[in-house]
């Protein structure tokens, strides 16, 4: 398979996840740790190659099966997908803030 088509397929699968979760691009991209503009570079006319940040974010945040994401083989999720609730979003934000404070207190950042 041509690489350009492979990249396009990965981005299409990422968009399938976003649409299944009924999220807009901005909210979805932030949840996977990306700036909305970066995500738009993948999905828009620019057609940027998917990077590790996108792949890791999808696998880590949404439990997307990496084999499915890269090759289209297997189930979309390797675990039950997260619920689309505001409570999950708030708790995820609180966890990130807590981790950031912990790292800052240790003098790492």
């Amino acid at each position: 398979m041509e690489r350009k088509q492979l990249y396009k397929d990965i981005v299409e699968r990422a968009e399938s996840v976003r649409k299944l979760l009924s999220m807009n691009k901005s909210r979805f991209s932030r949840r996977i740790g990306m700036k909305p503009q970066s995500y738009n570079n993948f999905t828009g006319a620019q057609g940027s190659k998917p990077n590790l940040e996108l792949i890791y974010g999808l696998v880590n945040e949404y439990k997307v099966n990496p084999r499915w994401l890269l090759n289209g083989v297997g189930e979309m999720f390797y675990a039950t997908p997260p619920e689309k609730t505001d409570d999950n979003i708030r708790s995820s934000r609180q966890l990130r803030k807590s981790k950031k404070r912990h790292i800052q207190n240790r003098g790492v950042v």
Side-chain angles (χ1 to χ4, degrees):
M1 177 181 287
E2 184 183 327
R3 283 188 183 200
K4 196 170 192 175
Q5 184 62 46
L6 175 67
Y7 300 149
K8 184 178 176 184
D9 291 347
I10 292 169
V11 172
E12 286 176 2
R13 289 185 198 105
E15 276 290 275
S16 296
V17 172
R18 181 185 69 80
K19 290 173 183 175
L20 180 73
L21 297 173
S22 303
M23 297 180 78
N24 64 38
K25 288 181 182 181
S26 178
R27 185 171 162 199
F28 182 74
S29 62
R30 285 191 177 101
R31 291 276 309 267
I32 61 174
M34 299 183 81
K35 293 180 181 176
Q37 183 57 44
S38 297
Y39 186 77
N40 285 334
N41 289 341
F42 299 124
T43 61
Q46 186 172 351
S48 297
K49 291 188 285 187
N51 62 17
L52 188 57
E53 183 179 19
L54 173 68
I55 294 166
Y56 179 80
L58 288 166
V59 171
N60 190 50
E61 180 68 24
Y62 294 113
K63 308 302 182 230
V64 171
N65 177 348
R67 191 166 185 215
W68 174 82
L69 183 62
L70 297 174
N71 302 315
V73 175
E75 297 295 321
M76 183 183 283
F77 299 100
Y78 66 84
T80 305
E83 293 295 319
K84 302 177 284 185
T85 65
D86 288 336
D87 290 338
N88 286 346
I89 295 167
R90 276 192 293 276
S91 64
S92 178
R93 284 184 190 143
Q94 290 168 344
L95 181 60
R96 282 194 300 268
K97 286 179 183 178
S98 174
K99 285 180 182 178
K100 186 175 180 179
R101 279 193 301 269
H102 176 71
I103 291 170
Q104 288 172 337
N105 290 338
R106 292 180 61 203
V108 175
V109 176

